[in-house]
Amino acid sequence: VQLQASGGGLVQAGGSLRLSCVGSGLTFGDYGMGWFRQAPGMEREFVAAVTWSGGTQYYADSVKGRFTVSRDNSKNTVYLQMNSLKPEDTAVYYCAAAEGALRFGYSNLRKYRYWGQGTQVTVSS
């Protein structure tokens, strides 16, 4: 199984980025998908998640109203649209795949079985 995240980069505060994560080696539509991030010296934290169908999304309070998670199962891809970026959004962003119903434990790292390699997002002030 491979999850390949991309789309990170350097952006000014107030700008936007769209992250993508392509899955291979798994039946993508069977998995709930999540995005997490980790800043230097900090623990990895939940950002957003979407159910297998794309019908339900979950967000951390810190990104609610600014970030949007979506997926296209025909392309084995999950997206994270990030708008109104802030310097505190700077981190390595990881995508992850979870088996089972997402509504229980969607923000828990241990819920997720497979992880991508991460993509760096840097927001300058």
Side-chain angles (χ1 to χ4, degrees), residues 26-54:
L26 75 169
T27 305
F28 190 78
D30 286 350
Y31 289 81
M33 296 298 296
W35 287 96
F36 291 76
R37 66 187 181 187
Q38 188 167 18
M42 304 292 285
E43 292 187 351
R44 194 170 296 189
E45 64 174 6
F46 170 75
V47 175
V50 60
T51 54
W52 66 271
S53 67

Side-chain angles (χ1 to χ4, degrees), residues 1 3 21 23 26-36 46 48-58 69-71 73 77-79 94-109 111-116:
V1 173
L3 298 176
C21 173
L26 75 169
T27 305
F28 190 78
D30 286 350
Y31 289 81
M33 296 298 296
W35 287 96
F36 291 76
F46 170 75
V50 60
T51 54
W52 66 271
S53 67
T56 302
Q57 302 84 37
Y58 304 95
V69 61
S70 61
R71 66 190 297 161
N73 288 343
T77 302
V78 61
Y79 304 98
Y94 299 89
C95 59
E99 294 178 306
L102 261 191
R103 67 182 184 276
F104 303 117
Y106 57 84
S107 63
N108 188 336
L109 276 71
K111 176 77 174 176
Y112 295 81
R113 181 173 182 182
Y114 302 112
W115 290 83

